[in-house]
Amino acid sequence: QAELGKPQRNCYTLPGYDFSYGLYSQRMDGGVPEAIGQWNTVKPRPPSVQNTARDFITMNRGALKAGYTTAHEFNLYYKAMDIRCKPEEYSHLKRDPPKVPADMTYGITTRPCTPFFDLIQHKYKELWMEQQRALTAALQEEKKKKREVRDTRTTLLRKQPLPAKEESFWHLPRLQKV
């Protein structure tokens, strides 16, 4: 029965303070001193035969030597002769690290220091001012080019009029061929 005037509880009661959550492992654990003292590392295992890729080049060569030519015969040969690639070729542990000179340093080189004398003389301000002056001069040149008036067909005809047409006398159309 729910208590009168109170909402019904929909949660579980928690265990006491002496209860520890999680699973207990039965291993001998020496804590931090044991972890610092020795390292339990996992030794790499070679990949199993099923994990390596199938060597289709060798299987195709063998099927051709056996005289098979159709796809069905090739599939039967693949099932009979399941040849896998050698695990040494695909092992990432067999690869050698790249040969690097002994005096090489990894990382990004540091930026050179800013010359303090240039800061005192305001050299960077002067360089910026020169760039701004050059930019404004280039913008003014563009504006001047835009202001130039282009010649229209009328002004071009006034400067160079078309040659006058030679007057030809009018003839009757029937007398044209004569």
Side-chain angles (χ1 to χ4, degrees), residues 34-100:
E34 186 179 335
I36 293 173
Q38 76 181 45
W39 293 94
N40 292 329
T41 58
V42 178
K43 293 189 171 122
R45 292 181 299 169
S48 64
V49 176
Q50 293 179 351
N51 290 344
T52 56
R54 297 173 81 177
D55 192 2
F56 284 101
I57 297 171
T58 309
M59 287 193 291
N60 287 344
R61 191 179 301 128
L64 286 174
K65 284 181 183 176
Y68 299 130
T69 54
T70 64
H72 180 68
E73 291 172 344
F74 268 74
N75 284 332
L76 292 175
Y77 185 82
Y78 293 161
K79 288 177 185 173
M81 300 286 188
D82 189 16
I83 300 171
R84 299 286 177 163
C85 294
K86 295 177 184 175
E88 298 95 36
E89 297 173 10
Y90 297 100
S91 174
H92 67 281
L93 300 172
K94 287 275 185 176
R95 287 189 224 139
D96 293 331
K99 303 295 182 201
V100 179

Side-chain angles (χ1 to χ4, degrees), residues 114-132:
T114 305
F116 193 69
F117 195 69
D118 292 342
L119 291 174
I120 292 174
Q121 287 185 332
H122 301 289
K123 182 178 179 182
Y124 297 107
K125 182 188 107 179
E126 296 299 325
L127 288 172
W128 183 80
M129 292 293 285
E130 287 177 20
Q131 289 175 353
Q132 294 302 315

